[in-house]
Amino acid sequence: MENESGESATRNVVLVPVSSIGCGKTTVALALVKLFNWGHIQNDNIGKQKNKPKRFVLELTNAMALSPVVIADRNNHQKRERKQLMDDVTEVVSDTKYVAIQWVHEPHQLDNLRHVTRDRVLSRGDNHQTIRAATENLGTITGIMEGFLNRFEAVDTDREPDINFHEVINLNIGPSRDSLETVIIRLHELFPKIVERLPSSEEMDAAIEAALSDYQVTEDLS
Ligand code: IDP
């Protein structure tokens, strides 16, 4: 991790979720947008196109011009995705600080993680572009989800590319309200000029409620 302090940073922070399907990354991102009006680039809103990773970075760097913090909403569950993101963003904005928001996938947590994420994905029914839980075969859905778990590469800050993270915020699978609070408290400590004030508990509750109810279909299956 970089030693450089974030205390004086006022912009160019990219939040990088490291996740599998259903952990709550879009929910937390939507709540952060409600509270802070930060940029939020959702991979699935880009649609299918030839060089989707480049397009994702283009949208991200455009959003960085408008907002001090931008959320790179895709799973980023493999090192090659994190490398592409950091290499391509840094080429455009050299002083970018990357903060990983990792939903920890340690072997002893996987059973619980599977249970929680399957329940969430199945209960959202057909409100999803690619996983139509109400009509798809259960095995197909769990197969797609297992694929993400099998490919998941934990953040390893001793090595490239994760050595380039300014900070890693680790989360356990659980209520997104808890994840939101953990992320905000740490960002306030890391970047006091950006997160000047901690929102109240009621403000965080309301942001999560709104995020859960406006949920828009945005799964990243690439
Ligand atoms: P992902 O972006 O990591 O795949 P989300 O889309 O944020 O995960 O969440 C997956 C589903 O679980 C969504 O339907 C969302 O509304 C729901 N969900 C997220 N967080 C919570 C929670 O804390 N409690 C109950 N349902 C949740």
Side-chain angles (χ1 to χ4, degrees):
M1 257 179 266
E2 285 175 34
N3 293 321
E4 196 190 341
S5 158
E7 286 202 356
S8 57
T10 56
R11 57 186 309 106
N12 298 340
V13 173
V14 173
L15 304 184
V16 183
V18 176
S19 169
S20 57
I21 297 176
C23 289
K25 63 186 179 302
T26 299
T27 303
V28 171
L30 290 170
L32 290 171
V33 171
K34 294 212 181 277
L35 289 166
F36 301 106
N37 204 24
W38 289 337
H40 179 200
I41 304 304
Q42 295 172 269
N43 202 40
D44 257 19
N45 289 351
I46 293 173
K48 289 225 181 304
Q49 51 181 277
K50 220 170 156 197
N51 203 336
K52 197 167 168 179
K54 289 266 181 217
R55 178 76 203 189
F56 184 74
V57 164
L58 178 67
E59 295 204 6
L60 201 74
T61 51
N62 288 344
M64 289 171 76
L66 304 173
S67 176
V69 179
V70 174
I71 307 159
D73 189 351
R74 64 181 189 186
N75 283 306
N76 300 304
H77 64 312
Q78 291 190 287
K79 289 182 184 178
R80 64 167 177 81
E81 288 179 285
R82 306 196 285 268
K83 177 171 169 45
Q84 180 264 329
L85 179 72
M86 294 199 265
D87 284 354
D88 291 357
V89 172
T90 299
E91 207 176 292
V92 182
V93 185
S94 61
D95 67 343
T96 303
K97 290 189 193 314
Y98 301 93
V99 176
I101 299 177
Q102 171 169 243
W103 276 265
V104 175
H105 283 56
E106 289 293 320
H108 70 277
Q109 293 165 314
L110 288 184
D111 277 347
N112 179 49
L113 189 143
R114 256 186 204 107
H115 182 76
V116 173
T117 56
R118 279 181 194 176
D119 269 6
R120 285 179 181 171
V121 170
L122 296 177
S123 69
R124 75 188 168 193
D126 273 352
N127 182 20
H128 191 287
Q129 283 158 319
T130 322
I131 300 186
R132 298 193 190 290
T135 46
E136 243 2 306
N137 173 306
L138 191 66
T140 310
I141 297 161
T142 52
I144 293 172
M145 296 179 77
E146 278 301 302
F148 279 85
L149 296 183
N150 292 333
R151 292 190 300 269
F152 190 91
E153 294 172 320
V155 172
D156 176 0
T157 53
D158 290 334
R159 292 187 173 74
E160 287 285 341
D162 300 328
I163 200 164
N164 298 301
F165 279 119
H166 179 74
E167 179 70 18
V168 180
I169 302 175
N170 283 316
L171 301 172
N172 291 317
I173 188 81
S176 293
R177 170 66 178 79
D178 295 353
S179 302
L180 177 71
E181 182 163 346
T182 304
V183 169
I184 292 175
I185 289 174
R186 192 68 193 120
L187 292 177
H188 172 65
E189 289 164 358
L190 289 167
F191 306 114
K193 292 197 171 159
I194 298 178
V195 181
E196 289 175 324
R197 177 185 80 83
L198 284 178
S200 68
S201 186
E202 292 73 23
E203 286 169 319
M204 288 192 260
D205 290 348
I208 282 290
E209 267 171 43
L212 286 172
S213 63
D214 311 338
Y215 184 76
Q216 296 290 314
V217 166
T218 54
E219 202 53 72
D220 165 23
L221 296 171
S222 57

